[in-house]
Amino acid sequence: MQANFSPIFDPASSQAAAISGLFMVVLLICAIILAIVVGMVGVGLIRFRQRPGSAEPPSYFGNRKLEIIWTAGPTLIIICLFVLTARGMRQSDPPANQEPDLIVISHQWWWEARYPQTGVATANEIHVPAGSKWLVRLQSADVIHDFWVPRLARKMDVVPGNTNYIWLEARVPGQYAGACAEYCGAQHAWMRFSVIADSPETYAAWLREQQNPAALPATDSARQGLKIFQTMTCANCHSIRGVSVAGSAAPDLTHLAVRRYLGAGVLSNTETNLFRWLKNPQASKPGCLMPDLKLTDAQASAVASYLETLQ
Amino acid sequence: MTTEQFLLSAWNWNPWVIAVCVATFLTYGVRYQARFSRKICWLLAGLVVFFLTLASPMDALADGYLFTAHMLQHLLLLLVVPPLILLSLPPATMPGRFQKERWKWLTWMVRHPAVTWCLGVGGMWLWHAPTLCNAAVTNGWIHRLQYVSLLLMGFAFWWPILGPWSRQRLSPLAGIVYLFSACLGCTILGIILTFAPVEVCSIYLHPIDRLGILPLVQNQWGLTPAKDQQLGGLLMWVPACLIYFCGIIGLLARWYGQANDEAPVYESQPNATLIGETHVH
Amino acid sequence: MSAFASPSVEIETPEAGSAPRGLFAWVATVDHKRIGILYLLTALVFFIVGGVEALLMRIQLARPNNTFLSPGAFNQIFTMHGTTMIFLVVMPTLFGLANYLVPLMIGARDMAFPRLNAMSYWLLPFGGLLLHFSLLAGGAPAVGWFSYAPLSETQYASTHGVDYWVLALLILGVGSVATSINLIATILTLRAPGLTIRRLPLFVWMIFVNSFLVILAIPALNAAIVMLFIDRNLSTYFFSPTHGGSALLWQHFFWAFGHPEVYIMALPAFGIISEVVPVFARRPIFGYEFVAASTVAIALLSFGVWAHHMFAVGMGHPIDLFFAASSMLIAVPTGVKVFAWSATMWGGSIRLTTAMLFAVAFLIQFTIGGLSGVTFAVVPIDWQVTDTYYLVAHFHYVLFGGTFFAVFAGLYYWFPKMTGRMLSERLGKLNFWMALIGFNTAFFVQHFLGLMGMTRRIYTYPDLPGWGLLNLISTIGAFLLGAAVLVLLWNIVVSLRHGQPAGDNPWQAWTLEWAATSPPPAQNFDRVPPIRSRRPLWDLAHPERPDPEVGGPTSRDEFALEKNRVSMVTFLISEGAFFVMLILAYLYYNNHTMDGPTPASTLNAKKTGVFTLCLLASSLTIWLAERKLEARKPAAFRWLLALTILLGAVFILGQGQEYLHVFHAGVMVNSNLFATTFFTLTGFHGLHVCVGLVALLIVMGLSLAGDFKQGRIEAAKSIGLYWHFVDAVWLVVFSVIYLRLLL
């Protein structure tokens, strides 16, 4: 839980803490400068208000010394700020030639997360072990997006044709909200994700679960849902490991049921919402790239019940 | 080798460099019978920078190790040493003999700012043509030619702005255009070097480790060839532009601080119409 | 000419009875005052459009998960709001004020080129209409006002909205550049006697410097949007990473325009404040020289900070740091100005009229916006707050709380001059307080929303603690601000009818526009007061203690400038900027080998070299022709001119032949990036040559009609200058593209 109204000032990593500390210093400097200006203007307005019947005041054209002071002074402040900036940047300087611990691929309008060491693939919810500093590689499948988890790290654009790297580290276990921070089209607003830092044991358990293929459907409804998944075009875009693999045009659904949200944050993950989504994704997230498949209520209900078994 | 060891040991006590410094200083002293005035400080600053450029470890680094150091030498020789020396010259009027036809050709160059501009900006571009750039590192004579030419081109470039013959200087607004356009010229070169790394000076990609400092440079200082080229491009661009910028601010300061009436002998242009007589065609 | 006469610009005064009247007079006008008012009225109309767009967005954002606007509609609206406010409101307002005031402030009769001025204006409503036509043609652009690639490529933006956006901006850009050329020529050549550059009113000085920003920045935008247009319509890949293009190059090119653009929107506002504050504090500006020099500093530095819009893109720390340094540095001259304005008030006798109230609010609000801008220069902070509502708050503080409040101040200050009537102070104070409270309510909370993690350009947001409340507060503030604007409009309407008559100088101000009547007559002045200082009217009113005679004529600055030459040189500078961008694009994409056609396999350097020599020879012939013209030898002039045209035509035919050869080899503009950049660069150069040929033919026609007999040859010489420019550009293009093949 956030301890502060602002995630930027509630850092949970050394990188974010460095930025937060720097921000507070700079805000203080700015506040002092603003106070000086407000003071000059405010006091000036009161002291030198026109008194009725007063003559034109004497003409005063400037004071060279004062002007030099208020040019040199800010320049010195700027130099200090620059030094602080250079120092603050050192915290987030990842190497580009190391193997990443996590690969994040941004799509319109969802986040694909791949764990290269284990082959795990998931979407919109990224689990990391708390206390570890991970190297994340950022790639885009289409337009420019931006990976932003304010409590943990700087923003980094995800640029098609380029690869960017950032460090991701969460000091304590918790849930850290993230969002895409570069306008990327119709549903930029709902391209939210979360980074969930688990204790090392919990993380290991999660990773193990993720590596398993999809659970087999246990009820009739779920079996029906699986059949619909395979026969209608769902399997063309969505992968369910153990059932079919489809590339990454759409989120991997192998363990959909443990995720907290659907549609990159637009709906929370309940069976009712999943039903709503399946009936007409365009109603929940207009403009998203999943077409309205015109499922009947029965079909949608079946698929929802199947998908909710995918722990 | 550590950084301190390098900085202490890699000095090049080139006799020519020392001779030029001493000779310039003595000539100045004799010619202007200089007492200690502000002007002599400019001269000293210029000579110190000159000496550091060519004799300090910077020269050792520029000699095949770091493109950045080579770029720094360029900048100092073209954009820092000449203006400092020019600033040390007391204002004077152009000697009458240069106005006579026979000697006019000597001053033709400095009376045409377009030429000096091309020399200043062109000089920077010229020595970055890949063949010339590499040749200057490998061939001793071209190396010396590079230094001398950069200095001369620098003096030519700054003459219309800072030359001692104040009547032949550019008018302030023209001076701003002159300096700003030069800034754009070196910005474009800097951008090309920084963002689209053409292998300009390929010799810096594979430095020959004569001094045994390659590990120091590449590992300890982190200056890999890629970063080196990028940094060199930035150096060409940002500090150079700051120098032009300071020049412009200096021009403005001089202009606004100027008293009203200077002796109005301005070289008239034949086909100009005076302010106040304009026509709508 | 008497010492008091203004420099005469002969405008053909139509005979009485044939002069256009009523509405048509406004349509046909070339009077800078009317054109200025037309700019202001048009900007006002678009201000209402943009304001309504803003209010629609604020309604949608007032509650979480709101469904007032669909995402598609919201995205179009925020794109149009930004584009409208920048290109159709702020720039035209500032150009309109400049148009109205600059000739008056320098004691001239009109701008240097009145008809060009009129054309520049008319490009505004038509450009604006073209942009809005997209609503009827498939949808407005929905890619944000800076249209990042590849989102703005056809693949992701399939309606024609972006195409309309490009075309509209090209049209508007022509108008802006033309106005700036006009302003530069006017300020350099039409000043009244005694009004040296060092005595210029700060508003005029800032407009002068600003005009140089415009002529350099707008061509950069033009180059970028032209390349985007070619991508979208000719299936090329300038900015599409899928085939070797670079999405980041768009950002570099756009922000090379975009950053100077924000100073283009700020400098004239600074000029307004520099006029308003001294008059209402009854003191001259504190430190004129520093304020003037800091303006130049800002203009210069503004070209070196663009990549601070790209700190989050991953350019690498060295580049980030350099741009951080320059971005921090640019705060210093701005601070100098703020301190100067504040110090002007000290020791004065301050009259808190509505204009002064807006000016004081500007000081504080612009400082807040400027300081939040400094926080962005600190790169790691930018890494957290860029693209959030903290950024939205920043730029609204500088652009609305800054520039627009300055415009309001200017409006209350100069309305009496323009109309002869005072605006109501009572309604003005109401307007001010509503605007102040509304603006700060709307935008101050947005700083907090950004810090709380709310990103920008989202059509809705989840119900996170505090988000709904702060957004609602912001919406309420926005509506209050809208109401304040309505009060202003009402004030204008009422005061036009029943406002107190103003007289020539209701504020006892000191610059030359207050020496004319209110409103001024068509010719502005019959007599111009003697000018010995920066405040000529003060000297007249206070002969016992006039200002010291600073900045008088020296041999340095009474350079003789001719307006045709000045305008052509300025125009060539802007065209040069355009070509520089195209050449940079060529160099960027061709510095390594790629698949498909290459220069070596496609081009015939030797043949092109021959045609190049023809083109260079044509420079020689036109230079010789000009000498003949000066020597009053029209026949020889015409022969040499004809030879020039012939050589130019040979060059174009040579280019055409090369193109045909290249097409036959199967190389099209979208074959690969070499082909694209080759055709774009040489194509635009060829276009410039063709335009030059047309111009030369017109000169030929004029010569045959006897136009140059009286010795008024400046226009012909200016065309010659253009021709030399075209040749010089070709030299560079040839070196970049072909020379490598010959060496």
Side-chain angles (χ1 to χ4, degrees):
Chain A
M1 259 326 281
Q2 243 169 264
N4 195 320
F5 82 100
S6 162
I8 296 174
F9 291 115
D10 189 15
S13 73
S14 49
Q15 188 190 138
I19 299 178
S20 168
L22 180 58
F23 203 167
M24 289 198 268
V25 169
V26 173
L27 278 179
L28 182 63
I29 295 175
C30 291
I32 293 173
I33 298 175
L34 181 63
I36 292 174
V37 172
V38 171
M40 271 180 88
V41 173
V43 172
L45 275 180
I46 299 171
R47 256 183 83 179
F48 300 105
R49 197 88 180 248
Q50 183 179 51
R51 314 262 178 269
S54 55
E56 302 273 39
S59 303
Y60 194 50
F61 295 91
N63 179 328
R64 198 57 87 235
K65 216 185 283 179
L66 188 58
E67 291 162 47
I68 293 180
I69 291 176
W70 71 42
T71 311
T75 310
L76 287 171
I77 298 177
I78 292 297
I79 294 176
C80 294
L81 279 181
F82 181 75
V83 171
L84 290 174
T85 304
R87 257 202 259 145
M89 285 166 77
R90 258 195 261 135
Q91 286 275 353
S92 36
D93 197 356
N97 48 10
Q98 215 176 282
E99 274 311 303
D101 302 294
L102 176 69
I103 300 174
V104 170
I105 303 168
S106 60
H107 299 254
Q108 280 179 320
W109 294 281
W110 60 281
W111 296 92
E112 178 185 348
R114 295 192 163 272
Y115 293 73
Q117 279 123 24
T118 51
V120 168
T122 181
N124 301 327
E125 204 169 275
I126 299 170
H127 285 252
V128 298
S132 305
K133 190 163 156 177
W134 272 20
L135 183 66
V136 181
R137 185 163 86 200
L138 298 167
Q139 297 165 214
S140 175
D142 39 41
V143 299
I144 302 180
H145 300 269
D146 188 291
F147 184 85
W148 187 39
V149 190
R151 292 190 66 198
L152 297 183
R154 54 163 288 181
K155 275 192 191 69
M156 180 60 104
D157 275 2
V158 191
V159 182
N162 283 26
T163 9
N164 281 332
Y165 291 84
I166 57 166
W167 289 121
L168 193 61
E169 170 205 9
R171 283 195 285 227
V172 293
Q175 290 171 352
Y176 303 97
C180 173
E182 182 61 60
Y183 177 66
C184 48
Q187 280 295 343
H188 165 63
W190 289 116
M191 196 168 153
R192 310 184 74 83
F193 63 97
S194 34
V195 173
I196 300 182
D198 300 315
S199 65
E201 306 81 49
T202 322
Y203 173 74
W206 174 85
L207 195 63
R208 249 178 291 129
E209 260 308 305
Q210 290 284 319
Q211 287 177 294
N212 293 340
L216 294 166
T219 64
D220 279 331
S221 178
R223 272 187 280 272
Q224 174 72 344
L226 173 56
K227 215 163 103 199
I228 296 171
F229 176 85
Q230 288 169 306
T231 51
M232 301 201 72
T233 52
C234 321
N236 288 352
C237 296
H238 288 280
S239 300
I240 298 183
R241 262 175 298 118
V243 173
S244 62
V245 174
S248 58
D252 185 301
L253 300 177
T254 314
H255 299 280
L256 176 64
V258 293
R259 303 213 277 258
R260 293 183 309 144
Y261 288 102
L262 301 171
V266 71
L267 293 169
S268 53
N269 189 357
T270 65
E271 197 162 332
T272 337
N273 280 342
L274 190 50
F275 170 80
R276 219 167 95 193
W277 175 268
L278 290 165
K279 271 295 287 182
N280 186 3
Q282 296 296 320
S284 308
K285 195 169 172 179
C288 79
L289 295 174
M290 176 161 162
D292 178 6
L293 292 156
K294 311 265 188 248
L295 298 175
T296 64
D297 282 1
Q299 289 174 314
S301 180
V303 178
S305 64
Y306 168 61
L307 291 175
E308 288 299 342
T309 67
L310 295 178
Q311 297 283 338
Chain B
M1 203 191 282
T2 66
T3 310
E4 298 85 54
Q5 284 176 321
F6 170 68
L7 285 176
L8 286 174
S9 63
W11 290 76
N12 166 19
W13 304 99
N14 186 323
W16 285 106
V17 172
I18 299 177
V20 165
C21 288
V22 170
T24 314
F25 187 69
L26 287 176
T27 319
Y28 184 92
V30 164
R31 173 80 178 76
Y32 296 113
Q33 271 132 31
R35 307 151 304 251
F36 186 78
S37 71
R38 233 171 22 132
K39 296 257 175 216
I40 215 178
C41 294
W42 291 118
L43 178 73
L44 285 173
L47 290 177
V48 165
V49 173
F50 175 72
F51 182 74
L52 286 176
T53 309
L54 293 181
S56 74
M58 191 195 313
D59 188 60
L61 287 173
D63 201 10
Y65 281 101
L66 279 185
F67 184 61
T68 308
H70 161 93
M71 195 64 78
L72 194 56
Q73 279 192 319
H74 266 213
L75 284 183
L76 292 172
L77 287 177
L78 190 70
L79 293 182
V80 177
V81 172
L84 288 175
I85 308 272
L86 284 176
L87 277 169
S88 73
L89 298 175
T93 44
M94 184 165 82
R97 76 178 89 98
F98 287 123
Q99 280 174 352
K100 301 207 189 87
E101 275 307 319
R102 265 177 58 186
W103 297 106
K104 245 192 173 168
W105 66 270
L106 262 182
T107 59
W108 167 84
M109 193 172 67
V110 296
R111 283 185 297 111
H112 283 80
V115 175
T116 58
W117 189 94
C118 287
L119 282 175
V121 177
M124 219 179 279
W125 282 77
L126 183 72
W127 285 111
H128 288 100
T131 25
L132 281 175
C133 195
N134 286 329
V137 179
T138 45
N139 183 322
W141 283 107
I142 299 189
H143 199 110
R144 280 172 221 125
L145 176 65
Q146 183 187 63
Y147 288 155
V148 171
S149 68
L150 283 173
L151 268 174
L152 289 177
M153 291 195 272
F155 274 107
F157 177 81
W158 286 101
W159 190 273
I161 306 281
L162 294 173
W165 303 337
S166 48
R167 271 210 229 124
Q168 274 67 36
R169 283 189 191 158
L170 278 174
S171 69
L173 285 189
I176 294 178
V177 172
Y178 182 87
L179 288 177
F180 181 63
S181 50
C183 174
L184 282 182
C186 79
T187 294
I188 293 171
L189 181 60
I191 289 176
I192 292 173
L193 291 173
T194 310
F195 286 109
V198 190
E199 271 78 35
V200 165
C201 255
S202 49
I203 205 152
Y204 288 102
L205 289 176
H206 309 285
I208 306 166
D209 200 357
R210 264 169 287 108
L211 295 173
I213 57 168
L214 203 58
L216 172 70
V217 169
Q218 293 202 338
N219 302 337
Q220 256 197 303
W221 295 351
L223 287 171
T224 58
K227 257 209 172 139
D228 181 32
Q229 165 119 1
Q230 205 185 47
L231 201 58
L234 284 171
L235 209 65
M236 152 114 300
W237 174 16
V238 180
C241 278
L242 275 177
I243 294 171
Y244 291 122
F245 175 76
C246 289
I248 291 175
I249 298 296
L251 271 180
L252 283 171
R254 200 169 62 188
W255 188 31
Y256 277 112
Q258 203 174 45
N260 267 353
D261 296 291
E262 262 188 18
V265 177
Y266 191 80
E267 293 170 30
S268 61
Q269 294 160 350
N271 289 310
T273 44
L274 292 172
I275 290 177
E277 285 172 24
T278 55
H279 304 278
V280 171
H281 290 284
Chain C
M1 234 189 331
S2 98
F4 282 53
S6 67
S8 56
V9 172
E10 288 149 26
I11 306 174
E12 282 133 35
T13 39
E15 284 124 29
S18 72
R21 293 195 201 286
L23 198 58
F24 189 62
W26 282 86
V27 169
T29 186
V30 294
D31 178 349
H32 74 98
K33 299 185 287 300
R34 290 200 160 182
I35 291 173
I37 292 177
L38 284 174
Y39 266 110
L40 292 173
L41 289 174
T42 314
L44 183 61
V45 168
F46 283 118
F47 185 53
I48 295 172
V49 169
V52 166
E53 286 163 349
L55 292 177
L56 287 172
M57 286 193 282
R58 284 308 331 159
I59 295 174
Q60 164 65 13
L61 291 171
R63 286 184 316 143
N65 297 306
N66 207 354
T67 50
F68 173 71
L69 289 174
S70 73
F74 184 91
N75 295 339
Q76 288 177 43
I77 287 176
F78 81 69
T79 305
M80 292 295 277
H81 168 79
T83 309
T84 300
M85 286 304 195
I86 290 175
F87 294 101
L88 300 175
V89 179
V90 175
M91 287 179 79
T93 304
L94 298 173
F95 285 145
L97 279 175
N99 240 302
Y100 193 99
L101 293 166
V102 165
L104 283 167
M105 283 178 150
I106 63 174
R109 199 162 280 192
D110 204 310
M111 299 274 273
F113 299 102
R115 282 169 293 199
L116 182 69
N117 202 15
M119 182 201 87
S120 307
Y121 165 69
W122 284 105
L123 290 174
L124 171 66
F126 285 114
L129 284 174
L130 188 64
L131 175 67
H132 286 84
F133 188 76
S134 59
L135 290 161
L136 300 173
V143 291
W145 87 273
F146 40 82
S147 194
Y148 273 3
L151 184 64
S152 51
E153 299 274 8
T154 322
Q155 185 184 5
Y156 300 105
S158 51
T159 66
H160 286 298
V162 176
D163 299 306
Y164 281 99
W165 181 83
V166 165
L167 293 171
L169 287 186
L170 285 172
I171 291 172
L172 294 166
V174 171
S176 306
V177 172
T179 301
S180 298
I181 293 175
N182 216 340
L183 285 165
I184 290 172
T186 307
I187 295 170
L188 282 178
T189 63
L190 294 183
R191 284 166 285 127
L195 187 60
T196 60
I197 302 258
R198 292 187 295 165
R199 287 180 181 158
L200 281 177
L202 280 172
F203 179 76
V204 178
W205 175 249
M206 300 212 189
I207 293 286
F208 180 63
V209 173
N210 194 54
S211 301
F212 283 98
L213 278 179
V214 172
I215 64 172
L216 286 170
I218 300 278
L221 174 69
N222 290 345
I225 60 184
V226 150
M227 287 191 256
L228 180 64
F229 195 76
I230 292 175
D231 264 6
R232 288 178 57 88
N233 291 285
L234 293 178
S235 307
T236 56
Y237 301 103
F238 274 114
F239 306 120
S240 287
T242 48
H243 287 74
S246 167
L248 289 187
L249 193 68
W250 166 266
Q251 293 192 24
H252 282 295
F253 275 24
F254 185 85
W255 289 116
F257 150 76
H259 197 83
E261 168 68 10
V262 312
Y263 288 101
I264 290 170
M265 294 192 282
L267 284 182
F270 295 162
I272 297 174
I273 298 298
S274 303
E275 298 297 329
V276 169
V277 167
V279 166
F280 292 105
R282 308 311 300 158
R283 287 265 299 235
I285 187 85
F286 189 96
Y288 176 100
E289 296 83 1
F290 266 69
V291 176
S294 67
T295 311
V296 177
I298 291 175
L300 297 174
L301 287 171
S302 74
F303 287 104
V305 301
W306 81 85
H308 70 215
H309 298 269
M310 297 165 63
F311 280 152
V313 144
M315 296 183 295
H317 288 197
I319 298 180
D320 285 348
L321 272 172
F322 272 102
F323 281 100
S326 55
S327 305
M328 290 180 198
L329 199 56
I330 206 171
V332 173
T334 315
V336 164
K337 289 199 166 69
V338 171
F339 292 133
W341 292 318
S342 311
T344 304
M345 288 165 42
W346 271 70
S349 176
I350 303 172
R351 289 182 295 171
L352 276 178
T353 57
T354 309
M356 188 58 169
L357 284 170
F358 275 111
V360 170
F362 165 93
L363 280 180
I364 310 294
Q365 285 163 179
F366 189 84
T367 304
I368 295 176
L371 287 171
S372 65
V374 171
T375 61
F376 280 100
V378 179
V379 181
I381 299 180
D382 182 282
W383 286 340
Q384 285 284 32
V385 291
T386 191
D387 270 329
T388 65
Y389 264 79
Y390 184 94
L391 178 66
V392 176
H394 158 72
F395 63 70
H396 282 96
Y397 259 86
V398 284
L399 288 177
F400 200 118
T403 297
F404 240 91
F405 268 62
V407 165
F408 291 148
L411 209 57
Y412 278 88
Y413 180 57
W414 279 302
F415 185 88
K417 176 56 56 183
M418 293 185 193
T419 61
R421 292 190 180 269
M422 308 291 285
L423 279 170
S424 154
E425 277 295 307
R426 200 180 47 89
L427 283 174
K429 299 246 166 39
L430 179 65
N431 173 199
F432 170 74
W433 288 107
M434 285 172 72
L436 185 74
I437 297 173
F439 169 79
N440 284 289
T441 311
F443 291 103
F444 198 74
V445 296
Q446 291 187 0
H447 289 105
F448 296 112
L449 277 170
L451 292 175
M452 285 155 66
M454 183 172 177
T455 51
R456 66 184 290 207
R457 299 176 155 179
I458 51 177
Y459 73 95
T460 189
Y461 51 90
D463 192 4
L464 294 167
W467 288 40
L469 177 64
L470 289 182
N471 270 294
L472 183 62
I473 293 174
S474 180
T475 301
I476 292 172
F479 272 89
L480 184 56
L481 188 56
V485 173
L486 290 177
V487 171
L488 173 64
L489 292 179
W490 179 243
N491 195 352
I492 293 176
V493 165
V494 158
S495 303
L496 276 174
R497 296 257 174 95
H498 310 293
Q500 191 194 335
D504 289 358
N505 195 352
W507 308 117
Q508 290 109 49
W510 309 307
T511 39
L512 283 179
E513 76 272 27
W514 302 103
T517 59
S518 300
Q523 74 276 19
N524 290 349
F525 298 97
D526 289 316
R527 322 181 94 208
V528 170
I531 299 167
R532 288 198 206 92
S533 72
R534 292 174 177 143
R535 298 191 298 168
L537 296 192
W538 167 275
D539 294 344
L540 273 183
H542 297 269
E544 77 285 359
R545 48 173 179 134
D547 279 354
E549 278 190 31
V550 287
T554 66
S555 60
R556 293 275 143 254
D557 52 9
E558 286 319 292
F559 30 80
L561 288 172
E562 193 279 325
K563 68 175 188 177
N564 286 288
R565 179 143 289 234
V566 167
S567 57
M568 180 52 79
V569 168
T570 316
F571 174 65
L572 293 179
I573 292 174
S574 77
E575 291 298 285
F578 179 75
F579 275 107
V580 162
M581 303 305 274
L582 293 184
I583 292 170
L584 281 175
Y586 182 90
L587 285 171
Y588 182 81
Y589 284 123
N590 288 285
N591 67 5
H592 56 81
T593 48
M594 61 178 92
D595 299 327
T598 61
S601 69
T602 328
L603 303 177
N604 186 335
K606 291 214 182 82
K607 225 192 230 176
T608 309
V610 170
F611 289 117
T612 303
L613 291 172
C614 289
L615 194 66
L616 292 178
S618 71
S619 251
L620 180 63
T621 54
I622 203 170
W623 180 79
L624 287 170
E626 280 174 39
R627 301 282 84 75
K628 295 293 176 213
L629 192 61
E630 280 164 8
R632 311 278 181 112
K633 294 198 180 127
F637 165 69
R638 283 195 282 271
W639 276 111
L640 283 163
L641 184 61
L643 190 55
T644 309
I645 295 174
L646 183 66
L647 287 167
V650 164
F651 174 81
I652 283 291
L653 287 172
Q655 282 293 87
Q657 198 234 30
E658 170 148 64
Y659 273 26
L660 275 176
H661 172 78
V662 169
F663 290 147
H664 278 310
V667 176
M668 298 292 150
V669 68
N670 57 358
S671 298
N672 69 355
L673 277 165
F674 156 69
T676 310
T677 48
F678 169 76
F679 281 116
T680 308
L681 184 52
T682 55
F684 272 103
H685 176 264
L687 183 65
H688 279 73
V689 172
C690 292
V691 166
L693 288 175
V694 169
L696 289 174
L697 284 167
I698 293 176
V699 169
M700 176 70 92
L702 289 174
S703 173
L704 288 168
D707 237 58
F708 300 121
K709 284 214 186 98
Q710 263 66 39
R712 287 164 36 156
I713 59 174
E714 281 310 318
K717 288 174 71 174
S718 301
I719 304 293
L721 198 58
Y722 174 85
W723 192 256
H724 292 306
F725 168 79
V726 162
D727 292 353
V729 169
W730 180 251
L731 270 179
V732 178
V733 171
F734 183 80
S735 311
V736 163
I737 301 181
Y738 293 87
L739 210 54
R740 278 190 246 180
L741 304 175
L742 285 178
L743 291 174

